[in-house]
Every structure is written in C-alpha cells, then in structure tokens.
Amino acid sequence: MDVITNLLQGFLVALQPYHLLMVTIGGILGTIVGMLPGLGPATGVAVLLPITFSMGPTAALITMTGVYYGAMFGGSRSSILINTPGDGAALAATFDGYPMAMKGKAESALAISAIASFIGGTIAAVFMVALATPVSRFALKFGPAEYFLLMVAALSMTASMSKNNVLKGFISMVFGLIIGTVGIDAQSGVERFTFGVLELQTGIDFLIVIIGIYALGEVFKSFKVINEGTKKAQTKFGKIWITKEEWKRSKWPILRSAPLGFIIGALPGAGGTMASLMSYNNEKQMSKHPEEFGEGAIEGLAAPESANNAASVGALIPMLTLGIPGSGTTAVMMGALLMLGIQPGPLLFTQNPDIAWGLIASMFVGNIILAIINIPLAGALVRVLAIPPKILYPIVLSLAFVGTYAISNSVIDFYLLIIFGILGYFMTKVKVPTAPMILAAIVGGTMEQSFRQALKIADGSMSIFYGSTLAICLIGITIISIVYPMVKEYIGKKKVSGQKTA
C-alpha cells in the first residue's frame, strides 16, 4: 500500500502544470537530440545543465529524464531514415529499420518504433515502481568477474548472429576490442597505441567509431547513386501506422524485450546498446523466420526499440537507490543533482520522496506525451527520404562532422572519423558485419578493467570466473550463443541435403 500511496503522491507532483511543461520540453529536446548523429542523450543533458540549475531539483530531474528517454524515441528516426544511429542504443534499429524504409515501409517502421518505445518505457516504469529495491540488490551481486562474463556473453551473441559469417563476426569483434585498448591504461598508466598523439591518450570515443562507420560509410557507399541521381527512396507516404499483421508479429517481441531491457539497464555500465543488441539477437534466435532479420523484419525493429527505452528507465535505478550512475547520461544527471544539493542514494526515497516518486510518476506521463508527439511528427520526419541524395548526404556529412567535433572539440577526431568511414565502406564491401566491432569498441575498455580487477581480487586465480552461480549461468549463455547457431545451421543443411537425395 505504501508504494501505491507514494506513487499517487508522485502523480500529484508530476501533474503540476510547470512539471508537465518541463517533461514536454525535455521530451521534445530529447527527440531532436536523439535524431542527430553523434550527440545522444548524454550530450543533450550536458548541454541542458546550465538551464536546470535555475529550476528546482524536481523540475530539473524531470526535465533531464525527459531528455533521456526522449532521445531513445528519437534515436531510431535517423537509424530508420538515413541508416545512421543517433547513438549506440539506436544501433540495432538500423538492422531492420533502414531495410524497411528502403522497401517503402517507412511509415510502419516509424510507427512501430514509437509504439514499441512507448510500451517498453511504460512497462519499465511499472517494474521500477514494483521492483526497484530487489533489482538494485540483484545488480549488487555483479562483481568484476560477472561483469566481464556478461560482456563476453553480449559480444559472443552479437558476433554469432552474423548469418553464415560467424568467423567474420568474431574478426569484426577483435577489431573493436583493439580500438578499446587505445589510450592510457587506467590501472598502470602506460600509454598504448597512441603513437605520440596527445589526443589519443584518452582513447577513441566509440561515438566517433559509430558515426564514421555508419554516417560516412553510408555516404561513401552512395557516391555512385549521388552521381546518377537515382537513389531509390520512398517519395509518397501514407498513414503513419501499422497493419494488424504487423502488430501481430511485433507484440510479443515488444513484451519480451521490455523486461530484458529493464534488467540490463539496471546493471551499471551495461546500458541501452547492450540491451537492444541482446533483445535483437534473442528475437532472431526465437523467430521461425530468422532469414528475414536484416532484410526488414518488423519484429527486428520492435524488439530493440522496446528494450532500449526500458533500459533508459532501468538505468535510473542504481542512480536513485544506490547513488551509482547506470549510464553516461545518468552520470551527468547525478552530477546535476549533487550541484543542486541532492544526494542520490537509499535516503533519497525517505528524505526527498517528492523528488523520487515525482520522477517515477513523470515517466508514465512523459511516455504518453512522447508517443503523442512522435507519431504525428513521424509524418514530417519521413520526408527526409524525399530529399534528393545530392542534398541529403551533404547534410549527413555535415551532421557527422559537427557531432564529432561536439564530442571533444578536437580536430584529430576528424581524421579518425574519416578512417572509420573508409573502414566501414570496405567492411560492407567484403561483407564483414560491423555491429560486433561497434559493441566491442563500446565495452572493450570496461571489459578489460573488469577482467583485471577480478584477477587482482582472486590473487591471479582464474577460479573467480566460475566461482558463482551467476558466473556459471553467464558462461552457459555464452556457450549456447556460439554453439546454437552452428547446430541450427548444420541441421538445416542436413535437411536440405536429405531433400535433394530424396
């Protein structure tokens, strides 16, 4: 009963006209920021910080959270329309969202991404009300060894989902891990692969890798089409909605992916990228038609969109209940709260219940507002496809360079951007999947540090990596993710061979 009473009190706070205005403004800003390649929610919240200092802590937190999950709504727009994810969490939306748009189903893609985001965010908000304390306790069981194994499982699942290209998938993953080693080693202070370049001492930001591979890679791939002016793009659009058949295919992936995204989001450091890629892989493995994934399967778009929105809600749990940020965005938000004199942690719910429960209630309200905003706005956004390639791709190019410069204001990043753009072009040419490299570049640094911390805790003994039930479960998930696609492919070939013989 206490939970319901607190939630009702939270709605009284969230439904105040000023807070309603703030959550709407935050959601709209987040949607716009999420659409711009290279910016993402962390940058959006960081840019907003000076403004929030003039608000009260409740309004500031509600606004920043609105930007956060608004960016999850908006991130898929650029993934679907120009094959360039707004940030890492929208990466999986390119796999089937862009093929859908190219097949003339942009309306369905935009509609299902907004619907899945709304449902995923709402389900996650319900979970947050009911499970905040148990989930945060579960996340505390993850030591360095379990974090390392979780990342190994995520990487192996991503690499092995490359159909008929498992070896190429793992090669791509190794490239990403190499990128993650660049910079000063956090434990020894030794420079690695910096070649005397000062800017490389802090490592290569994964956003540059993403923008280079997707934005520049897409521009390079389209040079021939740009010259001929024959880019195949949908120019006439109907109602932005989905059919009954599309809903039938999407509803269970959406409902399955929301809890998965919520749990992964609650693990500090895991984030929306891992949640969306794991949910995509899960749905592909469970599908009766896995061959349609990557070719425009609507469930391949619905699942990661539900998961990444749920992850953005889940990421708030460790910050609010433990005082530990679950993602880069929540780290910025936590810094803002500290500046406002509010200490996130277990005492937040007893000392400042209006802030904690007002924020939770605002998520229900904010998701409804964003769904209303994003589906009508999708009609305007989808017109981007009608822009001639000679105008569209220079805009993509400009956004890529502006977004890259906004990351660290360094000209060196431009050279890296071009290098990764060329790399992305050639990887596409030789059919090497890019997703394993991207994920490895994102988690590589954390994965290495977790591995070394675990070894130090165990005095160099490897037994720490199979010393808990959780670790053994993660090892099992890793083995299954590698072996299952191989067995499935072998059985499929045997069936085809048997049919030919017969």
Side-chain angles (χ1 to χ4, degrees):
M1 288 301 292
D2 285 345
V3 171
I4 295 172
T5 305
N6 287 328
L7 184 61
L8 290 174
Q9 289 292 331
F11 273 111
L12 291 177
V13 175
L15 292 174
Q16 290 175 12
Y18 179 58
H19 292 152
L20 277 176
L21 178 65
M22 288 298 105
V23 75
T24 305
I25 291 174
I28 292 172
L29 285 174
T31 302
I32 295 169
V33 167
M35 284 166 49
L36 300 175
L39 294 184
T43 308
V45 174
V47 170
L48 198 66
L49 277 182
I51 303 171
T52 58
F53 290 156
S54 61
M55 304 175 184
T58 308
L61 193 55
I62 285 175
T63 308
M64 289 187 290
T65 309
V67 172
Y68 190 13
Y69 52 74
M72 296 296 113
F73 272 78
S76 62
R77 297 294 182 261
S78 52
S79 296
I80 293 166
L81 300 178
I82 56 177
N83 200 27
T84 304
D87 72 337
L91 172 66
T94 61
F95 301 160
D96 285 285
Y98 187 61
M100 282 183 73
M102 289 297 97
K103 288 180 176 177
K105 295 181 179 177
E107 297 94 336
S108 298
L110 292 167
I112 196 64
S113 67
I115 293 168
S117 296
F118 166 70
I119 296 174
T122 304
I123 290 174
V126 173
F127 284 165
M128 189 166 185
V129 172
L131 303 172
T133 304
V135 170
S136 57
R137 283 179 184 162
F138 177 72
L140 280 176
K141 292 181 181 177
F142 277 70
E146 286 78 12
Y147 266 116
F148 169 75
L149 292 170
L150 175 69
M151 293 171 199
V152 170
L155 287 174
S156 64
M157 288 166 74
T158 309
S160 62
M161 74 180 179
S162 311
K163 185 174 171 62
N164 299 326
N165 274 327
V166 175
L167 180 60
K168 288 182 177 178
F170 278 96
I171 291 172
S172 174
M173 182 189 76
V174 171
F175 277 140
L177 291 175
I178 292 171
I179 292 168
T181 62
V182 175
I184 294 177
D185 177 23
Q187 292 193 27
S188 67
V190 174
E191 287 188 28
R192 301 185 300 191
F193 307 117
T194 60
F195 306 104
V197 179
L198 186 67
E199 287 80 359
L200 288 181
Q201 288 185 352
T202 53
I204 298 175
D205 197 301
F206 70 84
L207 285 173
I208 298 171
V209 182
I210 291 176
I211 297 170
I213 294 286
Y214 288 95
L216 261 68
E218 176 66 20
V219 172
F220 291 156
K221 274 190 297 180
S222 305
F223 265 143
K224 187 179 178 182
V225 181
I226 289 172
N227 291 333
E228 294 175 356
T230 56
K231 185 179 187 300
K232 291 180 181 177
Q234 191 175 351
T235 54
K236 294 182 180 178
F237 307 103
K239 187 179 179 183
I240 309 294
W241 200 242
I242 54 173
T243 64
K244 284 184 180 177
E245 176 60 26
E246 288 171 334
W247 169 246
K248 191 178 174 184
R249 289 182 60 168
S250 304
K251 62 181 180 182
W252 290 116
I254 291 172
L255 295 174
R256 280 193 293 263
S257 299
L260 176 68
F262 177 78
I263 293 169
I264 293 175
L267 303 175
T273 306
M274 192 178 290
S276 59
L277 289 172
M278 287 185 76
S279 67
Y280 181 86
N281 186 60
N282 281 351
E283 289 307 320
K284 186 176 180 181
Q285 299 286 6
M286 294 174 70
S287 174
K288 293 178 182 175
H289 305 286
E291 71 281 358
E292 294 180 8
F293 279 67
E295 303 294 331
I298 193 165
E299 57 267 45
L301 174 62
E305 281 302 289
S306 174
N308 70 25
N309 243 57
S312 70
V313 177
L316 294 170
I317 284 187
M319 185 195 82
L320 292 175
T321 60
L322 305 172
I324 300 171
S327 67
T329 311
T330 52
V332 179
M333 291 165 64
M334 186 170 159
L337 282 179
L338 291 172
M339 288 287 290
L340 292 165
I342 301 297
Q343 175 65 56
L347 296 178
L348 180 67
F349 284 82
T350 52
Q351 293 181 346
N352 301 99
D354 53 328
I355 296 176
W357 289 101
L359 170 67
I360 293 171
S362 78
M363 292 179 192
F364 291 97
V365 180
N367 271 296
I368 294 170
I369 291 172
L370 278 166
I372 293 170
I373 290 171
N374 270 270
I375 293 177
L377 270 182
L381 296 170
V382 82
R383 265 65 181 178
V384 173
L385 276 179
I387 298 174
K390 287 183 179 179
I391 296 175
L392 178 63
Y393 286 108
I395 292 173
V396 173
L397 210 57
S398 303
L399 288 174
F401 276 92
V402 170
T404 300
Y405 191 72
I407 293 169
S408 57
N409 299 335
S410 170
V411 177
I412 293 294
D413 289 345
F414 289 157
Y415 295 109
L416 293 172
L417 182 70
I418 294 168
I419 290 170
F420 286 116
I422 295 170
L423 180 64
Y425 171 76
F426 281 108
M427 286 178 76
T428 307
K429 278 287 180 186
V430 298
K431 296 182 179 176
V432 174
T434 53
M437 187 182 84
I438 299 288
L439 182 59
I442 293 171
V443 304
T446 312
M447 185 175 160
E448 181 195 355
Q449 296 307 320
S450 298
F451 177 77
R452 291 165 65 181
Q453 285 170 2
L455 281 182
K456 279 193 176 180
I457 291 169
D459 289 328
S461 172
M462 296 293 286
S463 62
I464 193 171
F465 294 106
Y466 52 85
S468 68
T469 307
L470 194 55
I472 292 170
C473 288
L474 290 168
I475 292 171
I477 291 170
T478 304
I479 294 171
I480 291 169
S481 71
I482 297 171
V483 174
Y484 178 69
M486 294 180 180
V487 172
K488 197 175 177 184
E489 188 180 339
Y490 175 76
I491 293 172
K493 284 181 178 176
K494 287 285 284 180
K495 279 185 180 176
V496 172
S497 175
Q499 286 172 356
K500 285 181 179 177
T501 306

